[in-house]
Amino acid sequence: MHHPAPPETTISEHMANVFSQLKASQLPSAVREVAITDLIDMTGLCVAAREQDYVRQIAGGWDSDGPCTAIGHARTLDAAGAAVVNGVATHGEDFDDTLEGAPIRVGAMVIPAVLAASERFGLSGERALLGIVAGMEAVCRLNHVAAGKMHKACFHPVGVIGALGAAVGAGTAMGLDEKCLSMAMGVAGSMSSGIIEFLTDGAWTKRLHPGWAAQSGLRAAVIARQGFFAPRTIFEGEHNFFRAFAPSAIPDYSHLLEGLGEHFYMEKIAFKPYACGTMIHPYIDCMIRLAAQGVKADQIQRIECPTGEGLVHRLWEPLEAKHRPPSGYAAKFSMPFCMAVGFFDGDAGLAQFTDERAADPAVLALAARISYVIDPANEYPRNYSGHIRVTLKDGSTIALDQPHMRGGMREPLTRGQIIAKFHGNIAHGHWPEALGRDLLAFCEGLPDHRDLAGLASFRH
């Protein structure tokens, strides 16, 4: 059987060439800012989730101790274990970053891998910053190649693409040369995993995926550093990554080639003001404005929401189940619940998604009056907007629209707002305020650290 000769320089080799030559001094200030902001957001989320059952179970189920820090935990783990726990905790409350235009989580897979590699191998803060930037840029670009098509094949891009991004991040931080960094991607392609069956009942495997991807990518980088032979043609070969995980796609590889290292997709990373599905946020904003107008829940006959077709499967249907989510976690992916709780509480933070709140009769009664209609003109996924058409019992109507997601490119959260969110997460995790301030200072000063031994201060 004839196999065409692989190209002289493959896509992974081109990417590895660019990432292996990155220099911290040459990074645009906006890119450095996003990386540090994401680190601040991520570490606060680790503390916020540290006492949750799923985090305790992941940590308890990890059988290897070692020298690395799971933020907010006294026990130390091997590098892979620290990456798993920090990745799961970052994403577990659905309060972490997202990417506009081609939605995926970014920092939850990359930053835990880079921190673990840096702590384990004595790398500088500058190396860690480079790794975070490279890994997050890889995730952002990879997710544009076949945007939306992995979900159609029942895969969760966080777990699939995340392993490659973590490999690039850890490998770049570790200083892998071009050949080894390309091999790290080749290894990570066989470690990618994660199916979306969690959608059926709000199962916790969604929370596991970024942590598993983080440790997979870290392991791939460590293996590749030994010179392990992996496919050079992970992206363009006959049995390639996207053919496996997104078989209905026609991959657009220009996203992996054009302008790499010159302009950065990661500048489009958005930070979440609410602890639930990102596309829900503009609808929550509409409901908060509705309540601010003085409308009471018992005046509302029904609310109809024009929406993009891409939101329906995960956030609206099956509608009867979304009207009565079975848990606080499942409620995060229910458009009607999130809208109703936002109306009553003026927020959709960590406190709004307990199991008790998910069973609140008043919230559920309002949620039951919320439905959707598909709007073919909706801009999703290029833009996340919110639209509510309210019919009151007296026959009058109110229409409210939120043209974009707060926290995204059109209305980014300020560093001050991110820091306020960080301190709220520290308090939620029952950590001392002073320790939170120390962690914030550690993150803000990342590029200046000689090594990351200071992470040991946050084993509490």
Side-chain angles (χ1 to χ4, degrees), residues 120-190:
R120 173 67 182 85
F121 299 116
L123 311 179
S124 70
E126 188 174 88
R127 295 301 317 171
L129 177 66
L130 278 172
I132 290 170
V133 169
M136 294 206 304
E137 183 66 10
V139 169
C140 294
R141 285 176 172 267
L142 283 162
N143 202 50
H144 276 77
V145 172
K149 295 296 194 283
M150 286 187 179
H151 274 111
K152 287 190 187 307
C154 301
F155 288 109
H156 189 198
V158 160
V160 175
I161 286 171
L164 288 170
V168 169
T172 300
M174 291 160 59
L176 266 57
D177 64 22
E178 178 184 334
K179 181 177 180 183
C180 288
L181 193 56
S182 170
M183 292 296 105
M185 286 182 250
V187 173
S190 283

Side-chain angles (χ1 to χ4, degrees), residues 330-353:
K332 291 173 178 284
F333 313 104
S334 160
M335 182 75 83
F337 177 90
C338 293
M339 290 173 62
V341 82
F343 176 87
F344 283 108
D345 292 9
D347 198 5
L350 297 175
Q352 278 67 49
F353 295 101

Side-chain angles (χ1 to χ4, degrees), residues 65-404:
D65 295 334
C68 294
T69 303
I71 296 166
H73 301 268
R75 178 187 168 205
T76 57
L77 300 165
D78 67 350
V84 164
V85 174
N86 288 333
V88 169
T90 299
H91 179 57
E93 296 304 302
D94 227 74
F95 211 2
D96 53 320
D97 70 21
T98 191
L99 177 67
E100 281 197 273
I104 191 172
R105 304 315 168 95
V106 187
M109 303 87 83
V110 173
I111 299 177
V114 171
L115 292 183
S118 300
E119 193 175 19
R120 173 67 182 85
F121 299 116
L123 311 179
S124 70
E126 188 174 88
R127 295 301 317 171
L129 177 66
L130 278 172
I132 290 170
V133 169
M136 294 206 304
E137 183 66 10
V139 169
C140 294
R141 285 176 172 267
L142 283 162
N143 202 50
H144 276 77
V145 172
K149 295 296 194 283
M150 286 187 179
H151 274 111
K152 287 190 187 307
C154 301
F155 288 109
H156 189 198
V158 160
V160 175
I161 286 171
L164 288 170
V168 169
T172 300
M174 291 160 59
L176 266 57
D177 64 22
E178 178 184 334
K179 181 177 180 183
C180 288
L181 193 56
S182 170
M183 292 296 105
M185 286 182 250
V187 173
S190 283
M191 294 179 166
S192 296
S193 64
I195 61 172
I196 59 174
E197 181 54 22
F198 59 77
L199 289 170
T200 298
D201 53 8
W204 292 356
T205 45
K206 179 177 189 285
R207 292 166 150 154
L208 174 61
H209 293 164
W212 199 256
Q215 68 89 32
S216 293
L218 171 63
R219 289 186 191 277
V222 173
I223 290 168
R225 187 168 65 166
Q226 304 302 312
F228 189 85
F229 181 36
R232 297 173 57 227
T233 50
I234 185 69
F235 296 123
E236 62 269 69
E238 186 179 350
H239 311 287
N240 71 72
F241 182 82
F242 288 99
R243 185 173 179 189
F245 291 112
S248 67
I250 300 171
D252 180 359
Y253 290 120
S254 67
H255 293 288
L256 305 182
L257 299 168
E258 293 175 9
L260 189 67
E262 295 166 10
H263 73 266
F264 289 81
Y265 284 37
M266 62 173 282
E267 290 186 36
K268 295 181 179 179
I269 288 174
F271 296 96
K272 298 174 76 169
Y274 302 129
C276 59
T278 318
M279 291 77 85
I280 304 174
H281 291 203
Y283 290 89
I284 295 170
D285 284 336
C286 290
M287 293 297 284
I288 291 173
R289 282 163 48 204
L290 180 66
Q293 291 184 9
V295 173
K296 304 300 180 193
D298 59 9
Q299 297 175 273
I300 298 171
Q301 181 80 38
R302 66 179 181 276
I303 300 174
E304 187 177 75
C305 304
T307 195
E309 187 172 6
L311 280 64
V312 171
H313 172 57
R314 280 171 282 167
L315 303 177
W316 282 110
E317 289 290 352
L319 189 57
E320 190 175 324
K322 296 296 185 183
H323 281 155
R324 302 189 66 84
S327 67
Y329 184 54
K332 291 173 178 284
F333 313 104
S334 160
M335 182 75 83
F337 177 90
C338 293
M339 290 173 62
V341 82
F343 176 87
F344 283 108
D345 292 9
D347 198 5
L350 297 175
Q352 278 67 49
F353 295 101
T354 62
D355 288 348
E356 294 75 23
R357 198 78 177 102
D360 186 294
V363 176
L364 295 177
L366 179 56
R369 284 173 261 157
I370 299 173
S371 63
Y372 72 94
V373 58
I374 292 173
D375 175 11
N378 190 282
E379 294 178 301
Y380 177 82
R382 292 189 313 280
N383 180 34
Y384 308 157
S385 56
H387 314 275
I388 65 172
R389 305 292 178 258
V390 185
T391 302
L392 301 180
K393 289 178 180 174
D394 66 6
S396 62
T397 59
I398 301 170
L400 292 170
D401 299 282
Q402 171 63 25
H404 53 253

Side-chain angles (χ1 to χ4, degrees), residues 405-423:
M405 172 200 167
R406 291 188 308 108
M409 289 177 291
R410 295 162 180 83
E411 191 180 340
L413 299 183
T414 64
R415 175 65 71 83
Q417 288 172 311
I418 296 286
I419 289 173
K421 175 184 170 183
F422 170 89
H423 287 305

Side-chain angles (χ1 to χ4, degrees), residues 55 165 424:
V55 174

